[in-house]
């Protein structure tokens, strides 16, 4: 049984949450997000908290998920989300041109990726091989970061490729011949 679904979502004074049928809109200092939840789950606003209730037993799987999504929306409009990626290898680089991310990652051509609306891509000031993906929608930020990483996953022998900052790549030993 979900324990996450039981927890109330605390809303600060900076945030406005409005519930209209099965739609919830959360507005904060960084922007506005909306979500449509299923009929078997109910969201109730009481003073400075949002409470997610399940209406029948078939909603067990969606109860905690709905609560987590709404909590991520509240956190996103107040603080935002950031995912950082690191490009490793000689000659691998990236550049940002308007709403495009251009990667030079060892292919015969440059890989161009369109940045979705609501996301910001920036390079790190101190390290030239680090990309920061920021935005208010957690799912969108992490999904786009995963798409960037999927273009050239880090390989286990030399460690070249694109990895998340702080991710540990398990290295393999080369062949040992006789």
């Amino acid at each position: 049984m979900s324990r996450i679904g039981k927890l109330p979502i605390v809303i600060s004074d900076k945030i406005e949450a409005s519930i209209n049928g099965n739609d919830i809109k959360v507005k904060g200092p960084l922007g506005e997000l909306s979500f449509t939840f299923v009929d078997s789950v109910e969201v109730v606003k009481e003073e400075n908290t949002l409470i997610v209730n399940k209406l029948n037993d078939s909603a067990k799987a969606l109860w905690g998920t709905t609560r987590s999504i709404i909590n991520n929306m509240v956190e996103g409009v107040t603080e935002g989300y950031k995912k950082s990626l690191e490009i490793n290898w000689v000659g691998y680089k990236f550049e940002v041109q308007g709403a495009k991310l251009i990667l030079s990652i060892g292919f015969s051509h440059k890989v161009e990726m369109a940045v979705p609306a609501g996301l910001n891509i920036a390079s790190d000031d101190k390290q030239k091989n680090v990309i920061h993906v920021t935005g208010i929608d957690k799912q969108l930020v992490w999904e786009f970061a995963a798409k960037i990483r999927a273009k050239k996953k880090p390989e286990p022998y030399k460690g070249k490729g694109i990895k998340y900052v702080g991710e540990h790549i398990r290295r393999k030993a080369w062949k040992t011949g006789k």
Side-chain angles (χ1 to χ4, degrees), residues 3-91:
R3 294 185 184 134
I4 293 174
K6 293 179 183 179
L7 300 173
I9 302 165
V10 180
I11 300 174
S12 67
D13 296 334
K14 304 177 205 173
I15 300 171
E16 296 176 21
S18 61
I19 302 166
N20 185 11
N22 284 2
D23 295 330
I24 182 167
K25 287 188 179 183
V26 179
K27 191 174 190 179
L30 296 180
E32 181 178 343
L33 292 172
S34 62
F35 175 65
T36 304
F37 51 90
V38 295
D39 294 332
S40 56
V41 174
E42 173 190 42
V43 180
V44 180
K45 184 177 179 184
E46 294 180 0
E47 295 179 16
N48 291 344
T49 60
L50 290 172
I51 299 170
V52 180
N53 297 320
K54 59 182 177 185
L55 298 176
N56 53 31
D57 286 339
S58 66
K60 285 182 182 179
L62 298 172
W63 182 35
T65 303
T66 303
R67 190 256 177 216
S68 292
I69 290 171
I70 295 170
N71 189 47
N72 289 340
M73 289 168 52
V74 169
E75 191 175 324
V77 296
T78 55
E79 300 169 14
Y81 289 100
K82 179 179 177 181
K83 195 72 175 165
S84 300
L85 297 136
E86 183 178 354
I87 298 176
N88 293 321
W89 201 242
V90 178

Side-chain angles (χ1 to χ4, degrees), residues 112-130:
E112 292 185 7
M113 298 181 72
V115 179
L119 291 184
N120 295 324
I121 305 291
S123 62
D124 193 57
D125 297 335
K126 298 177 184 173
Q127 296 177 318
K128 64 178 183 174
N129 63 337
V130 175

Side-chain angles (χ1 to χ4, degrees), residues 89 152-161 169-171 174:
W89 201 242
K152 191 77 166 186
K153 290 183 184 174
E155 55 102 36
Y157 296 103
K158 294 181 182 177
K160 64 181 180 177
I169 304 300
R170 192 164 166 213
R171 303 293 291 270
W174 286 90

